[in-house]
Amino acid sequence: MSDRTRQDPNAGDILDKVSDYCDYHADEKVIQFCIQHDVLICKKCVRNHHSECESIISINSAIKDAKYGSAFTDIETRIEQLNRKIRNVSTRQTHDYNYLSTKKDKIKNKISTVRKTINDYLDKIERYTKLFMVNIGGEILSETVTTFKIKTICLSNSGTIYWTNLDNNEIHTVQPDGKQELFFSSHELEDPRGLAVDGKCNVYVAGYMSNNIFMISKDKMKVKVILNYKDQIKSPI
């Protein structure tokens, strides 16, 4: 083991292939290192060739610098490896986020499609209303399908069905033979709700929003407002 290795046990790995003796003065051991010329030197070298060099350090200092340089290189390598791992994790997270975002959008679109299908079906059901005329024994005498939005319905003694249509502020009828027709409509009648027919088949209808009550004869020749807001009528049903 060389003197330098005995002085610093960790120097062995660094200086295994370095001779103890000067390359220029074979009988002299190297004792210093010239940083300016990057060379190991002996006493004669210092005196003869490096007397004006300012960057001359001892062998031990050179060994420590070499050792710390290797340590820093190892640290830099580990830091770079860690940075690569961090970049890989970040890339995977970005990929996972994009995948989940795409999956989320697909699920939302599917939910919207299902919701639209359900709403369309409910709208279809709502648009079609079946009216049945039955006798006291429960026997169905007639069946009528309408697309109107029915609010109130009543039956006259002649067998005619009357109902109010909220969509158009109208009164419609269905005759015993199933024939449908518009019975009454007026811009003065808003939101028709309450509906009744007397023994003479005069029809009475209450305008919830127009605050009035109409009377319409069976032949529609007589139409008049029999009560309104002046009679303290408010939102009749």
Side-chain angles (χ1 to χ4, degrees):
M1 181 181 294
S2 68
D3 294 338
R4 284 167 291 165
T5 304
R6 282 193 295 271
Q7 292 172 359
D8 188 344
N10 295 320
D13 293 338
I14 301 171
L15 300 175
D16 280 344
K17 297 182 180 180
V18 178
S19 172
D20 288 343
Y21 290 90
C22 180
D23 292 338
Y24 303 100
H25 307 97
D27 58 337
E28 293 287 339
K29 288 187 176 182
V30 291
I31 57 173
Q32 292 178 306
F33 180 75
C34 179
I35 297 175
Q36 182 176 339
H37 294 94
D38 192 25
V39 64
L40 290 169
I41 56 178
C42 65
K43 290 186 292 184
K44 290 182 180 180
C45 290
V46 174
R47 184 174 60 251
N48 298 334
H49 305 292
H50 298 273
S51 59
E52 296 183 0
C53 295
E54 297 180 356
S55 302
I56 295 177
I57 60 176
S58 67
I59 289 294
N60 285 337
S61 296
I63 291 171
K64 289 179 180 179
D65 289 344
K67 180 177 65 177
Y68 293 147
S70 298
F72 284 129
T73 300
D74 183 58
I75 290 173
E76 289 177 350
T77 300
R78 293 185 181 184
I79 290 174
E80 178 57 30
Q81 291 173 347
L82 182 59
N83 284 335
R84 281 200 298 270
K85 290 182 179 179
I86 292 173
R87 287 195 295 269
N88 290 337
V89 170
S90 177
T91 300
R92 286 197 299 270
Q93 288 179 338
T94 301
H95 175 269
D96 292 344
Y97 175 79
N98 292 335
Y99 172 78
L100 291 175
S101 295
T102 302
K103 198 75 173 177
K104 176 184 175 183
D105 291 339
K106 288 182 179 179
I107 292 173
K108 287 177 65 177
N109 291 336
K110 189 171 183 179
I111 291 174
S112 297
T113 301
V114 172
R115 180 179 294 167
K116 184 178 184 304
T117 301
I118 293 173
N119 288 338
D120 289 346
Y121 180 73
L122 292 176
D123 289 342
K124 183 178 180 181
I125 293 176
E126 188 178 56
R127 285 196 299 269
Y128 292 92
T129 303
K130 279 189 175 182
L131 299 176
F132 295 93
M133 184 181 292
V134 297
N135 60 21
I136 194 170
E139 180 185 358
I140 297 176
L141 302 178
S142 65
E143 177 182 333
T144 303
V145 177
T146 178
T147 59
F148 296 124
K149 188 175 182 180
I150 297 175
K151 179 64 179 180
T152 310
I153 189 169
C154 69
L155 178 67
S156 71
N157 56 15
S158 64
T160 300
I161 299 174
Y162 295 82
W163 79 79
T164 56
N165 174 20
L166 288 182
D167 289 333
N168 298 309
N169 297 324
E170 299 170 341
I171 300 174
H172 291 257
T173 61
V174 178
Q175 301 301 326
D177 60 2
K179 181 181 178 181
Q180 297 185 46
E181 63 180 4
L182 172 64
F183 177 72
F184 177 74
S185 176
S186 171
H187 67 277
E188 296 182 22
L189 177 64
E190 297 179 23
D191 194 1
R193 298 198 180 188
L195 187 64
V197 182
D198 64 16
K200 296 181 180 180
C201 291
N202 294 314
V203 178
Y204 301 84
V205 59
Y208 181 80
M209 295 299 296
S210 52
N211 299 313
N212 52 19
I213 297 176
F214 276 80
M215 189 278 288
I216 308 103
S217 64
K218 180 180 179 180
D219 57 8
K220 295 180 282 187
M221 297 300 293
K222 293 181 180 180
V223 177
K224 65 178 179 178
V225 176
I226 58 175
L227 293 170
N228 59 22
Y229 67 94
K230 294 180 181 179
D231 303 299
Q232 306 301 313
I233 296 297
K234 184 176 181 181
S235 305
I237 56 174

